[in-house]
Amino acid sequence: FNFFLFSVFSLLELFDLNFTFRGLNLVLPLGISFYTFQSMGYIIDVYRGKFPAERSLAKFSLFVSFFPQIIQGPIAYYSDLAHQLYESHKLKYENLKWGAQLILWGLFKKIVIADRAVKMINIVSGDYRSFSGTYILLPILMYALQLYADFSGGIDICRGVGEMFGITMAENFRRPYFSKSLTEYWHRWHITLGEWLRNYLFYPLSLSKAFMKLGKNLKKRFGNHLGKILPTSLASLITFIVIGIWHGANWKYVAFGVWNGGVIMASALCEPALNRLVEKLKINRSTQLFGLFSMVRTFILVLIGYYFDVAENFNSAMNMMRLSLVDFHISDLINIEALKLLGLYKFDYLVLLIGIVIIFISSLKQEKTGRRIR
């Protein structure tokens, strides 16, 4: 509400229309977004007739506020979680063992890696103009590690606690940095949020009368491809803008959503042309080399989006991107004294390196076998 009104008033100031607005200073309940999502999903599914409404306030309250997931998810569907919460469970050694392993794995990622890496990110993002482009790019790379370790580690802890009670919660990460496209990345990252938004925002938008009518008009004028892709891409772009605003009420998060949604839209619209180019160049997409290229390309696209997360505002994000390109020097990476200014020491870098290797080997094994950490 504050973000919306401040943005409107800033726009009106361009026309010499000035308003005074102090904003709402509300204390928001912890975990409000997650139990709001679960409550909305439940209400919409009841409205759609997927299951009858729960008549017990105690049972409904348990579903909405199941304590392990209240801080950061995973977001659960009533049809998947409720029956597990309501039925009886016996204390089992296997559940305790697997739950403890998940909790320890999550604590390793959260405390050993994420909480150590965040020091560098905070120092640079707070005063990025004092550092060269090399030391701006390095924290962005570190942020990719820190964010994944922090978020997935927290989810592992939540799932581990649930496992101890005999409750199996949804998987929320599926090795996202192995993705070969930005679309695939978002299918692997924060999976439950993506599924929620697809079911309750993207599909209702893309299948609405207005979007269906838009598709028909575009098919008549520009052909089947544009008529089919543009409406769904537009619905996808709107969904990503909502994802951006969900991360925070700031224009940098709007830009984050526009970047991800825009790249996916451009990719879908240009797919026929890209396919013809690949055929003309005789590129074999099934080779490991092309797969590796696709992963690196996707990771770079993800990193660009991370600038909006790390920077204090939109202008800072754009300046940090510019400096990372024009002021990057390989020699800075071997300047030990300068690296200390980033808040980490040799031991910290060693621990982070070992942590990266451990996570990579574990993720690679899971990717090859297709198995998930229970």
Side-chain angles (χ1 to χ4, degrees):
F1 180 77
N2 291 347
F3 168 67
F4 173 75
L5 280 189
F6 280 130
S7 299
V8 170
F9 291 162
S10 297
L11 181 63
L12 292 176
E13 285 178 3
L14 298 176
F15 302 95
D16 293 328
L17 297 173
N18 298 311
F19 296 88
T20 301
F21 175 66
R22 294 182 179 179
L24 299 177
N25 296 315
L26 301 178
V27 178
L28 298 178
L30 195 63
I32 184 172
S33 63
F34 290 98
Y35 64 71
T36 300
F37 274 131
Q38 289 203 180
S39 301
M40 288 177 65
Y42 163 83
I43 291 170
I44 295 169
D45 285 344
V46 169
Y47 174 78
R48 291 174 175 175
K50 289 188 174 182
F51 44 77
E54 174 56 59
R55 297 300 178 184
S56 168
L57 178 61
K59 287 183 175 181
F60 173 74
S61 299
L62 175 60
F63 164 70
V64 173
S65 62
F66 183 49
F67 74 94
Q69 62 176 150
I70 202 68
I71 304 299
Q72 59 185 138
I75 302 166
Y77 292 99
Y78 184 84
S79 56
D80 294 334
L81 181 62
H83 68 90
Q84 296 188 72
L85 296 174
Y86 304 158
E87 64 193 20
S88 62
H89 295 276
K90 292 182 179 180
L91 188 65
K92 294 182 180 179
Y93 170 73
E94 282 294 312
N95 290 342
L96 293 175
K97 181 183 73 173
W98 283 111
Q101 288 182 4
L102 261 178
I103 291 171
L104 289 173
W105 178 236
L107 288 172
F108 166 73
K109 291 194 284 186
K110 175 73 175 69
I111 297 174
V112 177
I113 299 176
D115 289 355
R116 178 172 275 104
V118 77
K119 298 176 184 177
M120 175 193 294
I121 299 161
N122 290 338
I123 288 173
V124 175
S125 63
D127 188 24
Y128 73 91
R129 294 184 185 276
S130 299
F131 298 91
S132 70
T134 311
Y135 299 131
I136 292 174
L137 178 59
L138 186 59
I140 298 297
L141 290 166
M142 191 67 72
Y143 181 71
L145 171 67
Q146 187 271 334
L147 180 64
Y148 174 74
D150 185 271
F151 200 178
S152 68
I155 292 293
D156 289 337
I157 294 170
C158 298
R159 290 178 56 229
V161 173
E163 193 75 34
M164 286 182 160
F165 286 92
I167 307 296
T168 300
M169 291 189 285
E171 186 180 20
N172 216 33
F173 291 89
R174 196 177 298 121
R175 302 166 296 281
Y177 294 140
F178 286 152
S179 303
K180 296 178 182 178
S181 69
L182 199 56
T183 300
E184 182 186 352
Y185 167 82
W186 281 105
H187 286 162
R188 289 170 173 251
W189 179 277
H190 206 340
I191 297 170
T192 56
L193 174 65
E195 289 179 345
W196 195 98
L197 288 167
R198 279 195 296 275
N199 288 331
Y200 302 119
L201 180 60
F202 172 74
Y203 289 135
L205 266 180
S206 59
L207 297 176
S208 66
K209 290 182 179 179
F211 276 72
M212 296 293 283
K213 184 177 180 181
L214 174 64
K216 289 180 180 179
N217 292 334
L218 288 171
K219 282 182 180 179
K220 291 179 181 178
R221 294 187 178 186
F222 303 105
N224 288 332
H225 176 70
L226 197 63
K228 180 182 178 180
I229 296 299
L230 190 56
T232 55
S233 296
L234 185 58
S236 177
L237 179 61
I238 293 171
T239 303
F240 274 103
I241 291 174
V242 171
I243 289 176
I245 295 175
W246 175 78
H247 279 83
N250 192 301
W251 281 108
K252 69 172 187 173
Y253 292 117
V254 175
F256 172 84
V258 170
W259 167 254
N260 284 277
V263 169
I264 290 174
M265 174 186 277
S267 176
L269 291 173
C270 298
E271 185 177 8
L274 290 173
N275 289 338
R276 288 194 295 269
L277 180 63
V278 168
E279 290 178 6
K280 189 174 182 179
L281 296 176
K282 297 181 179 179
I283 297 174
N284 186 357
R285 289 179 168 177
S286 62
T287 63
Q288 290 185 344
L289 183 61
F290 187 83
L292 180 61
F293 163 77
S294 299
M295 288 182 194
V296 173
R297 175 195 61 192
T298 302
F299 185 68
I300 291 172
L301 293 174
V302 171
L303 278 183
I304 293 173
Y306 283 164
Y307 277 90
F308 298 110
D309 265 354
V310 172
E312 291 185 344
N313 52 55
F314 175 78
N315 290 333
S316 296
M318 301 307 293
N319 284 328
M320 289 172 72
M321 288 185 206
R322 180 182 60 82
L323 290 171
S324 297
L325 291 173
V326 303
D327 193 26
F328 180 82
H329 310 283
I330 292 290
S331 58
D332 289 343
L333 297 176
I334 58 175
N335 188 339
I336 303 299
E337 293 303 316
L339 287 172
K340 288 181 181 179
L341 297 176
L342 300 178
L344 301 179
Y345 296 91
K346 287 183 181 179
F347 177 75
D348 296 310
Y349 287 111
L350 179 62
V351 170
L352 290 172
L353 180 60
I354 294 172
I356 291 171
V357 172
I358 292 173
I359 290 178
F360 177 75
I361 292 174
S362 172
S363 300
L364 190 63
K365 185 177 180 180
Q366 292 173 58
E367 189 73 9
K368 286 184 176 180
T369 60
R371 295 176 62 186
R372 57 177 278 189
I373 295 179
R374 184 178 172 185

